[in-house]
């Protein structure tokens, strides 16, 4: 009996034990094998072991509209540090910008406003003019997070402002005594970090924090896990404590990492599985981390100036990473494989 005569269930069991290179060769054998191997189910096991394929720890697919074979190919570039760089947007005044991605829309804060910019679907190039603006803080917007119904922003005035995305209504959350440098939200639970050296946890039905964690240093970045069972904090690295830590919601540290050059971590994001991306306060550096390893996996120095801006915020999709510096927005395109990280 020939291999292609086996039932599809048997072929699936066989092919799931192959690596990505072997599957790529099988695609070239014949048309029948090419059609079978291109199915997402064949690539799912491999994808779960790679960085930023869109398959989370519990098997959820974040990018079901993109073939998994294509994402596995792009994941090799994430792991190897291969990408193409460009600067889609610049501005003259130095700011502390923050950004978020929501499909084909990029949210970017500049001073007291948050502007919405469209990304071209194929090229991912950014339109130069915002089509909508949110405002309301008395000071600059330091950070913000998105849900389907709300935009939650933290300001240098120490307040958190909850904007409705479906109306003009907004409400304030009070608790921090200094600027709110970071926040994240999952399933109605908001975690915020501040220059006042505290992390505060908020529920959706209260204007005051549910609990407060006192930190040893200024908190520059937070990220809540997809399970809402833990969150990551990045601190200023001014004290003798690891700046990158994972906490549970009982306010106990779970795991920590050392930053190689003792830089403050201004921003972090996770792919929901193995990867963490962080932006530091020195030299415009973005680092990629694999949670299964202690050392940094890749790093990218986005600015060549002797005195460069911190990376104030970064966000990534399956194929692109966007990083906001003081006077420009940078993009790394991982669909290309001819330019490598340092």
């Amino acid at each position: 009996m020939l291999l292609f005569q086996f039932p599809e269930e048997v072929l699936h069991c066989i092919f799931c034990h192959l690596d990505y290179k072997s599957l790529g060769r099988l695609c070239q054998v014949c048309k029948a094998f090419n059609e079978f191997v291109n199915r997402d189910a064949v690539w799912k096991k491999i994808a779960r072991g790679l960085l930023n394929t869109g398959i989370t720890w519990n098997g959820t697919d974040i990018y079901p509209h993109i073939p998994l074979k294509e994402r596995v190919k792009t994941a090799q570039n994430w792991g190897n540090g291969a990408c193409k760089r460009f600067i889609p947007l610049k501005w003259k005044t130095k700011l502390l910008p923050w950004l978020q991605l929501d499909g084909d829309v990029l949210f970017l804060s500049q001073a007291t406003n948050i502007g919405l910019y469209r990304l071209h679907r194929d090229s991912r190039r950014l339109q130069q003019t915002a089509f909508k603006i949110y405002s309301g803080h008395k000071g600059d917007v330091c950070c913000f997070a998105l849900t389907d119904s709300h935009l939650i922003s933290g300001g240098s005035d120490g307040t958190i402002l909850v904007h409705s995305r479906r109306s003009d209504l907004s409400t304030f959350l009070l608790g921090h005594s200094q600027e709110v440098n970071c926040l994240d939200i999952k399933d109605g639970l908001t975690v915020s970090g501040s220059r006042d050296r505290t992390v505060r946890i908020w529920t959706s039905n209260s204007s005051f924090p549910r609990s407060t964690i006192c930190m040893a240093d200024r908190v520059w970045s937070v990220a809540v896990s997809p399970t809402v069972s833990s969150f990551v904090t990045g601190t200023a690295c001014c004290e003798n404590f690891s700046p990158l830590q994972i906490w549970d919601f009982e306010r106990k540290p779970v795991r920590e990492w050392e930053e190689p050059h003792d830089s403050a971590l201004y921003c972090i994001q996770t792919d929901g599985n193995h990867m963490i991306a962080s932006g530091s306060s020195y030299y415009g550096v973005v680092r990629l981390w694999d949670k299964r390893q202690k050392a940094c996996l890749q790093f990218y120095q986005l600015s060549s100036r002797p005195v460069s801006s911190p990376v104030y915020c970064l966000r990534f999709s399956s194929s692109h990473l966007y990083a906001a510096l003081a006077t420009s927005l940078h993009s790394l395109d991982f669909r290309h494989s001819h330019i490598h990280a340092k």
Side-chain angles (χ1 to χ4, degrees), residues 215 217-221 232-247 255-265 268 289:
M215 306 288 287
D217 215 335
R218 291 168 290 174
V219 185
W220 286 110
S221 51
V232 183
T233 59
T235 57
C237 208
C238 295
E239 304 292 342
N240 190 27
F241 295 94
S242 298
L244 190 60
Q245 294 181 300
I246 295 180
W247 301 75
R255 194 171 181 186
E256 58 187 34
W257 290 270
E258 292 290 342
E259 212 286 329
H261 296 102
D262 291 336
S263 300
L265 297 178
I268 49 181
W289 308 78

Side-chain angles (χ1 to χ4, degrees), residues 244 265 267-269 276-280 285-289 311 314:
L244 190 60
L265 297 178
C267 51
I268 49 181
Q269 187 185 358
I276 295 176
S278 65
S280 69
V285 169
V286 168
R287 299 184 189 275
L288 298 185
W289 308 78
V311 178
L314 61 81

Side-chain angles (χ1 to χ4, degrees), residues 122-248:
D122 296 326
S123 67
R124 309 308 290 173
R125 296 284 179 173
L126 192 72
Q127 289 186 352
Q128 297 297 301
T129 304
F131 68 88
K132 186 174 182 178
I133 292 176
Y134 290 96
S135 59
H137 284 283
K138 294 181 180 178
D140 288 356
V141 175
C142 299
C143 58
F144 60 90
L146 301 175
T147 69
D148 291 339
S149 58
H150 291 87
L151 185 154
I152 303 96
S153 59
S156 61
D157 55 5
T159 63
I160 296 174
L161 187 55
V162 182
H163 307 266
S164 172
R165 296 178 64 180
R166 297 167 183 168
S167 68
D168 295 329
L169 297 177
S170 60
T171 56
F172 283 96
L173 305 180
L174 304 176
H176 288 291
S177 60
Q178 297 184 46
E179 64 188 49
V180 181
N181 297 124
C182 53
L183 57 83
D184 194 18
I185 182 168
K186 292 282 191 308
D187 294 342
L189 203 63
T190 301
V191 178
S192 61
S194 171
R195 191 183 184 89
D196 64 10
R197 300 189 177 195
T198 65
V199 170
R200 297 182 187 268
I201 302 170
W202 315 73
T203 56
S204 58
N205 57 357
S206 176
S207 298
F208 298 94
R210 185 188 78 177
S211 57
T212 300
I213 303 174
C214 294
M215 306 288 287
D217 215 335
R218 291 168 290 174
V219 185
W220 286 110
S221 51
V222 296
V224 182
S225 71
T227 60
V228 200
S229 60
S230 62
F231 60 93
V232 183
T233 59
T235 57
C237 208
C238 295
E239 304 292 342
N240 190 27
F241 295 94
S242 298
L244 190 60
Q245 294 181 300
I246 295 180
W247 301 75
D248 62 26

Side-chain angles (χ1 to χ4, degrees), residues 298-312:
Q298 301 290 347
F299 83 94
Y300 308 87
Q301 187 168 347
L302 301 182
S303 176
S304 59
R305 296 179 180 178
V307 181
S308 62
S309 160
V311 178
Y312 288 110

